Amino acid sequence: MKTFFRLVKLAWPLKWGMVLATLVGFLTIGSAIGLMATSAWLISMAALHPSVAALGVAIVGVRFFGIARGVFRYLERLVSHEVTFRLLSRLRVWFYRGVEPLAPAILERYRSGDLLSRVVSDIDTLQNFYLRVLAPPLVAVVTGLGMWLLLGAYNPVFAFAFLGFYILAGVGVPWLTHLLSKRLAARSVVLRSDLNASLVDGIQGMAELVAFGQEDRQNARIEKLNRELVRVQVRLGAINALQGSLGSLLTNVAAWTILVLAIPIVRNGQMDPVYLALVVLATLASFEAVLPLGQAFQYLAISLVAADRLFEIVDKAPPVRTLPATGPTQAATETGDYSLEVKDISFSYEPGQPDALQNLTFSLRPGQSIALVGESGAGKSTLANLLLRFWDYERGEIRLGGRDLKTIPPEEVRNIIGLVSQRTHLFNATIRENLAIANPKADQAAIEAACQQAQIHDFITGLPQGYATPVGEFGMALSGGERQRLSIARAILKNAPILVLDEPTANLDRQNEQLVMQALHSLMKDRSTILITHRLVDLAGFEEILVLRSGQVIERGDQSHLLQEKGLFNRLWQLQTAPV
Ligand code: ADP
């Protein structure tokens, strides 16, 4: 019930569109009833051979209702689809706004296929919420009321008989359908989402699946899900058919009942016989309003499951909370103070998990560069996650420009601290568009200057389409080194005063590593830099190097100092510089 009201609340701003669509929906059915009623009266009356003048109004009525029905049906489709598409766009924006603050900490827990399926198929499912769940009952209620008044005007007996069947067809049958299809509907939503997720997984991991000969297993899994989904849909189809037949049966039984009730009333002279066909045929036509209600219940069940899946994600508390400021609040961009102080930071990803960082302390003055080195899993990227406010820390303190990091909104932090990470995401767009996301205001000259600094300009101009070259899905058309240099060009365009370089040369060969490092040196000029790396190359210029192991700093100092120490740094250095 709560989910239902939350959905209604989301759709609330579109209420006037819905009211209009409901009204036009009612007018469509009203015209159908009017058409049947006036035709019935006209034919009955005509049988009595009256003058043509006596039939004139009814003839106009038949024409009017005949045309009006078509026009209103068209308008109803137009208005209700307009409302539906507006609702869809609202839902998409609402969901995206809810999801964005969760990235990346919470979204990491979901399969990308699963998220995709929520964004696409669950939201699509909800397009039915207005069209097939909310609107039909409203139209049915208004139609029922209208018919109650119409039949009651002839005889209250008709009104009661009509209401009995109307409620049975409008509430009884849908309720039965709901009971029969509730579990199946929920299952079909989950199955469809699983199937989508498996398909996306399968396509993304196709190379690995083929390499390890696992494609048959994945196929079998997809086939199994598909078979199960078809089975569920066949059963839902059967329930639909049952509901359709029960609806038709009740419609006809209602019309017959009214006929049977009307005959003695006409005989007793309590009703003019010309109205006999009218009440029967109007009843027949009015049931058009209740027939979609069975489906409305089914769509209700499906919509609620889909909505719950969306709410589940949107309701997640964001991984970082911005606290009210207690000290200075002036933005670093105004004060020009880009110092960074990290004091005694300890952090674990989950309660009970060992600390990924323990008592880390260092400071970074503007223009200074420090390096964080250590083997994989030492906790280096964790620091980047904390500095960029992807995760919140509990123990210790970080100050940026003298302000507590937790009081600075994440967007502001990310304008001050630029990240070049080991995984650069490139969008399936042109090189220029991919660069412009770092600074949408940058013109071509600025973009080219950044690319020159990042040592990628010559490569780009050598491409047949230059900056307009599409990079393919995930930048597949580029090599790892080219992607990294584009990422550096982005950081230059963004012009953040503090840089976090997280393994920028990981997965690159020597030659590319050299190119990327050259590009990085030009990027690091006039900026403070934290380089996170397990490769000990080009560290001579760094003022301080922190050597991390299992989240703890075990050595610190500049390169020559650390080499003399003969500790872990020295050992790693020997390993990495040893001739192969
Ligand atoms: P490094 O960058 O030095 O390779 P990380 O900072 O990525 O190391 O990881 C440090 C520790 O934290 C590792 O034990 C890793 O398993 C754990 N870890 C990293 N990311 C997560 C995460 N999102 N959730 C839980 N544990 C994580």
Side-chain angles (χ1 to χ4, degrees):
M1 217 47 192
K2 208 170 127 225
T3 313
F4 177 80
F5 285 117
R6 284 186 72 181
L7 269 180
V8 172
K9 214 169 122 198
L10 271 174
W12 194 244
L14 304 170
K15 56 185 177 301
W16 293 116
M18 294 193 201
V19 169
L20 182 66
T22 308
L23 188 71
V24 188
F26 164 69
L27 289 176
T28 313
I29 293 182
S31 305
I33 298 172
L35 180 66
M36 285 302 239
T38 41
S39 315
W41 184 85
L42 184 65
I43 295 167
S44 311
M45 198 63 186
L48 304 175
H49 301 294
S51 70
V52 174
L55 300 179
V57 177
I59 293 173
V60 174
V62 170
R63 281 196 196 139
F64 169 76
F65 285 125
I67 295 170
R69 194 167 85 130
V71 173
F72 284 133
R73 167 80 66 216
Y74 172 74
L75 287 179
E76 187 240 343
R77 289 287 141 94
L78 202 65
V79 180
S80 57
H81 280 86
E82 171 77 19
V83 172
T84 301
F85 288 127
R86 278 177 193 277
L87 181 67
L88 271 182
S89 80
R90 276 185 64 79
L91 285 170
R92 294 212 172 100
V93 173
W94 160 80
F95 187 65
Y96 185 81
R97 291 223 171 104
V99 163
E100 206 210 47
L102 306 180
I106 292 194
L107 298 187
E108 262 176 16
R109 297 180 205 154
Y110 292 89
R111 291 194 290 171
S112 58
D114 181 25
L115 274 177
L116 185 71
S117 139
R118 288 179 206 235
V119 175
V120 179
S121 79
D122 289 347
I123 289 188
D124 267 356
T125 304
L126 287 183
Q127 72 176 310
N128 294 314
F129 181 67
Y130 164 70
L131 207 58
R132 300 183 203 247
V133 177
L134 283 187
L138 294 176
V139 173
V141 167
V142 182
T143 309
L145 269 175
M147 277 302 287
W148 163 267
L149 293 177
L150 178 77
L151 294 177
Y154 290 104
N155 199 309
V157 175
F158 300 152
F160 282 109
F162 160 79
L163 205 61
F165 285 106
Y166 198 74
I167 290 176
L168 211 54
V171 181
V173 175
W175 185 246
L176 179 73
T177 321
H178 172 65
L179 287 185
L180 291 176
S181 63
K182 195 166 60 179
R183 279 195 27 238
L184 286 174
R187 182 104 191 94
S188 82
V189 175
V190 175
L191 277 173
R192 189 167 318 133
S193 145
D194 270 0
L195 184 62
N196 280 348
S198 302
L199 281 170
V200 173
D201 264 0
I203 292 168
Q204 282 179 346
M206 189 133 17
E208 274 80 0
L209 287 172
V210 173
F212 291 103
Q214 292 297 312
E215 65 270 33
D216 287 342
R217 261 184 70 184
Q218 180 75 1
N219 283 349
R221 206 180 121 71
I222 290 174
E223 245 168 55
K224 190 168 160 246
L225 284 170
N226 200 19
R227 263 201 310 275
E228 172 115 22
L229 183 62
V230 169
R231 199 176 57 83
V232 168
Q233 279 175 337
V234 166
R235 285 173 66 185
L236 280 173
I239 296 170
N240 261 341
L242 173 74
Q243 164 226 322
S245 337
L246 280 177
S248 303
L249 184 71
L250 283 170
T251 308
N252 291 308
V253 174
W256 274 102
T257 310
I258 301 267
L259 181 64
V260 170
L261 289 172
I263 291 170
I265 292 173
V266 168
R267 253 204 205 129
N268 295 343
Q270 284 168 287
M271 186 170 87
D272 191 327
V274 287
Y275 296 120
L276 180 65
L278 184 153
V279 288
V280 175
L281 291 182
T283 306
L284 207 57
S286 68
F287 273 68
E288 189 186 328
V290 282
L291 294 185
L293 293 188
Q295 270 207 337
F297 269 81
Q298 258 188 25
Y299 279 111
L300 174 65
I302 295 182
S303 300
L304 292 183
V305 177
D308 272 336
R309 285 163 46 85
L310 295 178
F311 288 139
E312 179 198 325
I313 296 207
V314 172
D315 290 347
K316 288 234 176 319
V320 289
R321 267 186 322 128
T322 301
L323 305 178
T326 46
T329 56
Q330 229 184 345
T333 38
E334 286 167 27
T335 58
D337 180 358
Y338 298 119
S339 61
L340 183 71
E341 289 289 330
V342 173
K343 268 194 234 149
D344 224 3
I345 282 285
S346 298
F347 174 78
S348 81
Y349 282 95
E350 302 278 342
Q353 246 192 26
D355 284 349
L357 279 180
Q358 268 181 44
N359 306 100
L360 180 67
T361 300
F362 68 88
S363 62
L364 185 72
R365 290 186 315 279
Q368 202 187 10
S369 43
I370 67 166
L372 222 58
V373 304
E375 286 156 311
S376 178
K380 306 182 297 292
S381 305
T382 303
L383 177 71
N385 285 341
L386 299 186
L387 287 179
L388 283 147
R389 300 215 65 196
F390 291 151
W391 295 82
D392 248 350
Y393 49 91
E394 298 297 331
R395 291 164 286 160
E397 191 181 36
I398 301 180
R399 288 194 165 266
L400 177 61
R403 291 160 71 197
D404 184 350
L405 189 72
K406 284 187 181 174
T407 64
I408 312 179
E411 309 77 56
E412 199 184 319
V413 171
R414 291 166 205 161
N415 278 332
I416 301 172
I417 306 182
L419 175 71
V420 176
S421 71
Q422 43 189 316
R423 284 168 305 176
T424 298
H425 184 87
L426 293 179
F427 293 91
N428 192 358
T430 63
I431 292 182
R432 188 184 301 112
E433 285 161 335
N434 266 296
L435 290 167
I437 64 156
N439 180 359
K441 290 195 202 115
D443 56 13
Q444 183 64 21
I447 290 184
E448 284 185 18
C451 288
Q452 254 154 4
Q453 247 189 306
Q455 319 256 355
I456 185 92
H457 176 70
D458 293 343
F459 165 77
I460 298 174
T461 45
L463 294 170
Q465 289 169 269
Y467 280 87
T469 309
V471 299
E473 185 115 41
F474 303 119
M476 286 302 187
L478 301 174
S479 77
E482 289 149 7
R483 281 203 290 269
Q484 278 317 70
R485 279 179 283 151
L486 277 183
S487 168
I488 293 168
R490 270 182 181 167
I492 295 172
L493 279 170
K494 187 162 174 199
N495 202 14
I498 302 179
L499 283 176
V500 174
L501 311 172
D502 187 357
E503 304 270 10
T505 57
N507 318 319
L508 297 186
D509 55 43
R510 279 278 161 94
Q511 196 193 349
N512 267 308
E513 185 174 44
Q514 292 284 309
L515 275 172
V516 170
M517 281 316 287
Q518 278 170 19
L520 281 177
H521 281 301
S522 88
L523 173 62
M524 284 157 58
K525 253 186 247 144
D526 313 319
R527 292 187 173 93
S528 340
T529 311
I530 300 175
L531 172 70
I532 291 173
T533 183
H534 72 284
R535 301 261 308 129
L536 309 186
V537 277
D538 271 347
L539 295 181
F542 284 77
E543 274 138 88
E544 190 174 31
I545 300 170
L546 309 183
V547 184
L548 274 183
R549 191 168 61 192
S550 309
Q552 277 176 311
V553 177
I554 51 164
E555 291 164 34
R556 64 197 301 166
D558 62 13
Q559 178 167 299
S560 54
H561 169 80
L562 288 175
L563 285 175
Q564 281 163 13
E565 285 262 296
K566 305 244 177 296
L568 178 64
F569 185 85
N570 190 299
R571 280 206 303 284
L572 292 173
W573 174 272
Q574 301 300 343
L575 275 174
Q576 291 186 15
T577 49
V580 211

